[in-house]
Amino acid sequence: MWVDGFASDSLPVTDRGLNYGDGLFETIRVEHGGAPLLERHLSRLRTGCARLALPLPGPQALRRELSAACDGMEEGILKLVLTRGSGGRGYAPPEAPSCRRVISTHPLPDYPRSRYRDGVSVRLCTTPLGTHPATAGLKHLGRLDQVLASMEPPAGTAEGLMCDASGQVIEGIRSNLFLVRGGQLLTPDLAGSGVAGVMRGLVLDLAPSLDLEPVIEPVSTDDLVRCDEMFLSSSIFGIWPVREVRALTGFETVGPATRRLMSAVAALGVKQWAP
Amino acid sequence: MWVDGFASDSLPVTDRGLNYGDGLFETIRVEHGGAPLLERHLSRLRTGCARLALPLPGPQALRRELSAACDGMEEGILKLVLTRGSGGRGYAPPEAPSCRRVISTHPLPDYPRSRYRDGVSVRLCTTPLGTHPATAGLKHLGRLDQVLASMEPPAGTAEGLMCDASGQVIEGIRSNLFLVRGGQLLTPDLAGSGVAGVMRGLVLDLAPSLDLEPVIEPVSTDDLVRCDEMFLSSSIFGIWPVREVRALTGFETVGPATRRLMSAVAALGVKQWAP
């Protein structure tokens, strides 16, 4: 772990990233000591810095630090957290903030090969995803909705899909969502919430060369049952085909209303199981 | 500054408060070595912990630490940050998280007496306040919307009012909003966003004894111009009467469309100023 270029595993309690979620992060997949999507990650970071008026660290120095961190790593994850640094109590940042960067490396999760081969089962989360137009699309540090969604019973699924309060499907907890419908490649509009993933950007860029027309628009749960294919994208796991979408409530257990109706029907002497 | 009861000014970079905004905070006003609203702060913290499934530190130990921190302080601010502690990369928390508490003290801002005597000028922020039903009302660590609103030109005002994306007025950047209309004391509904302030709770509790009927419902910008009185509440500054609400754009300078029209009228030879 490095803080501002020096080996360190701690940072000041005055850091605005801790106190206000005032910062951005990137999780970057490393392969053979390099990061194939590094430029896309840096580009998203630049966009985020501009939107938050965060002074971006010198890009050459940042590239050097990131390279040094993943040097010799066969595979893994490089995480960069960029905060607005320290600044007293109160939301207003200091006039000339000195940003703080934290770089750490992590092992790659051991994803089963079957997720790529056979697809995954996903569930609809009940935690609503917030709508925050001022920071939509950014990978900022305030990720409490995702934390809460991660705490829902996973029910044997690989990922959860999150909807905003109006019921529009926005993204996976840690991935973006794509639907294939005819020749169209549809992904939810992220103008109000969600993270514009680096792998999402790559997939959208690749689509035309694969005869798929990229379409960015609101996606409803209706759309989930009216498509030809569905997949998730992530710069960490790549692409997972989606095999099924489970609505959490009522699929794993017999719900209370259903149970009462079953009992009522049984009470009439009507058999409900095969003889 | 104290981290988990020990004097310290740093915390691990693995802290989930930093990485995901996974935690809560309280800013508590200290008077004569004590905190008059401490029980209300602890009560809100308890509610927040329950909603986020954060294990609350033992309340007696916490009270003791907070008391020790403000012991001998004539006046000031006690800040408590409670995070879900350390837990590797990924949104899902560890099974048995060990929460981390950070206590710090800060000087009270030197607010001019005139704000209490003559009231304050407030502005409408252009940064939209996010809607996040899963965490609405909580004082959680993801406060980037407030940071961005704080960076808007203050234009000589003491506080900014924030509206959600649908234009409903929710709260001040660092305070809650109240309108008096007839015998009613109206404050915005915080079911979708906002922080349920400790001083807001106190004001709502006091209202009936002052012949004011507390009403919690959506507040529009229309309501701002159709009320008898307006004030802000905060556990740090107390109550500030509002003297005027400024829409930021067009009040401070001559806007571009207005300027063009003024020129066009002038070009017709029509005088626009007193002779």
Side-chain angles (χ1 to χ4, degrees):
Chain A
M1 292 171 180
W2 296 264
V3 176
D4 285 344
F6 294 95
S8 172
D9 57 6
S10 68
L11 86 174
V13 300
T14 51
D15 190 86
R16 295 179 59 87
L18 168 71
N19 288 282
Y20 304 125
D22 193 3
L24 298 165
F25 72 111
E26 295 286 336
T27 46
I28 305 167
R29 181 159 176 157
V30 175
E31 296 286 345
H32 310 305
L37 298 181
L38 182 61
E39 292 310 313
R40 285 179 183 265
H41 284 285
L42 291 177
S43 163
R44 177 172 63 180
L45 190 66
R46 250 190 320 271
T47 306
C49 283
R51 280 180 58 190
L52 301 183
L54 274 176
L56 183 73
Q60 289 314 325
L62 192 56
R63 265 193 202 88
R64 214 164 34 234
E65 279 183 27
L66 291 170
S67 290
C70 63
D71 185 40
M73 189 192 290
E74 188 46 39
E75 62 169 26
I77 296 171
L78 195 56
K79 180 169 176 175
L80 166 66
V81 175
L82 183 69
T83 79
R84 208 183 299 269
S86 288
R89 202 198 59 78
Y91 296 132
E95 294 221 351
S98 178
C99 282
R100 183 167 287 128
R101 53 195 192 281
V102 180
I103 294 176
S104 57
T105 59
H106 305 266
L108 206 57
D110 190 17
Y111 298 122
R113 288 302 204 108
S114 60
R115 291 193 181 175
Y116 299 87
R117 192 186 56 218
D118 309 327
V120 297
S121 177
V122 301
R123 66 198 156 88
L124 284 173
C125 297
T126 56
T127 304
L129 183 65
T131 303
H132 44 94
T135 58
L138 303 184
K139 206 165 165 94
H140 60 75
L141 293 172
R143 308 242 69 89
L144 204 37
D145 286 340
Q146 283 79 6
V147 171
L148 293 177
S150 297
M151 293 165 73
E152 294 182 24
T157 58
E159 173 66 315
L161 297 183
M162 300 191 72
C163 299
D164 67 15
S166 76
Q168 295 295 303
V169 188
I170 306 295
E171 60 186 4
I173 299 174
R174 53 193 167 126
S175 62
N176 289 114
L177 175 70
F178 285 90
L179 311 182
V180 179
R181 203 171 50 191
Q184 290 191 327
L185 182 64
L186 177 64
T187 195
D189 183 25
L190 304 181
S193 53
V195 175
V198 155
M199 184 57 74
R200 174 181 182 268
L202 177 61
V203 166
L204 287 172
D205 288 350
L206 286 174
S209 68
L210 302 170
D211 285 329
L212 289 165
E213 179 201 352
V215 177
I216 297 174
E217 61 179 35
V219 168
S220 69
T221 43
D222 268 5
D223 292 320
L224 298 185
V225 297
R226 294 204 183 89
C227 62
D228 310 319
E229 299 177 38
M230 190 184 301
F231 64 86
L232 304 171
S233 72
S234 145
S235 60
I236 301 305
F237 65 65
I239 292 176
W240 283 347
V242 173
R243 195 178 63 234
E244 62 168 1
V245 181
R246 294 192 197 176
L248 191 60
T249 310
F251 276 69
E252 296 306 302
T253 60
V254 183
T258 306
R259 190 184 306 276
R260 283 203 305 278
L261 280 164
M262 289 168 82
S263 300
V265 169
L268 296 174
V270 181
K271 273 222 165 70
Q272 298 167 82
W273 51 89
Chain B
M1 292 171 181
W2 296 263
V3 177
D4 286 342
F6 295 94
S8 172
D9 57 6
S10 68
L11 87 173
V13 299
T14 51
D15 190 86
R16 296 180 58 89
L18 167 72
N19 288 282
Y20 305 124
D22 193 3
L24 299 164
F25 72 111
E26 296 286 335
T27 47
I28 305 167
R29 181 159 176 156
V30 176
E31 296 286 345
H32 310 303
L37 297 182
L38 182 62
E39 291 311 313
R40 285 179 183 265
H41 284 285
L42 291 178
S43 164
R44 177 172 62 179
L45 190 65
R46 248 189 321 271
T47 305
C49 283
R51 279 180 59 190
L52 302 184
L54 273 175
L56 184 73
Q60 290 314 323
L62 192 57
R63 265 194 202 86
R64 213 163 36 233
E65 278 183 28
L66 291 169
S67 289
C70 64
D71 186 41
M73 187 192 291
E74 189 47 38
E75 62 169 24
I77 296 171
L78 195 56
K79 180 170 176 174
L80 165 66
V81 175
L82 182 69
T83 78
R84 208 183 300 266
S86 288
R89 201 198 59 80
Y91 296 132
E95 294 222 348
S98 177
C99 283
R100 183 169 286 129
R101 51 195 193 281
V102 180
I103 294 176
S104 57
T105 59
H106 305 266
L108 207 57
D110 190 17
Y111 298 122
R113 287 304 205 109
S114 59
R115 291 193 181 175
Y116 300 87
R117 192 186 56 219
D118 308 327
V120 296
S121 176
V122 301
R123 66 196 156 89
L124 283 174
C125 296
T126 56
T127 303
L129 184 63
T131 303
H132 44 94
T135 58
L138 303 184
K139 206 166 167 93
H140 61 76
L141 294 172
R143 309 243 69 89
L144 204 37
D145 286 340
Q146 283 79 6
V147 171
L148 293 176
S150 296
M151 293 165 71
E152 295 181 25
T157 58
E159 172 66 314
L161 298 182
M162 299 191 72
C163 300
D164 66 14
S166 75
Q168 295 295 304
V169 188
I170 306 294
E171 60 186 3
I173 299 174
R174 54 193 165 122
S175 61
N176 288 115
L177 175 70
F178 284 89
L179 311 182
V180 179
R181 202 169 50 191
Q184 290 190 326
L185 182 65
L186 178 63
T187 194
D189 183 25
L190 304 181
S193 52
V195 175
V198 156
M199 184 58 75
R200 174 180 182 269
L202 177 63
V203 166
L204 286 172
D205 288 349
L206 286 173
S209 69
L210 302 170
D211 285 328
L212 289 165
E213 179 201 352
V215 176
I216 298 174
E217 61 179 32
V219 169
S220 69
T221 44
D222 268 5
D223 292 322
L224 298 184
V225 296
R226 295 204 183 90
C227 61
D228 310 319
E229 300 176 37
M230 189 184 303
F231 63 86
L232 304 171
S233 71
S234 145
S235 58
I236 301 304
F237 65 65
I239 292 176
W240 282 348
V242 173
R243 195 179 64 235
E244 61 168 0
V245 180
R246 294 191 198 177
L248 190 59
T249 311
F251 276 69
E252 296 307 302
T253 59
V254 183
T258 307
R259 190 184 306 275
R260 283 203 306 276
L261 280 163
M262 289 168 83
S263 299
V265 169
L268 297 172
V270 181
K271 271 223 169 67
Q272 298 169 80
W273 50 90

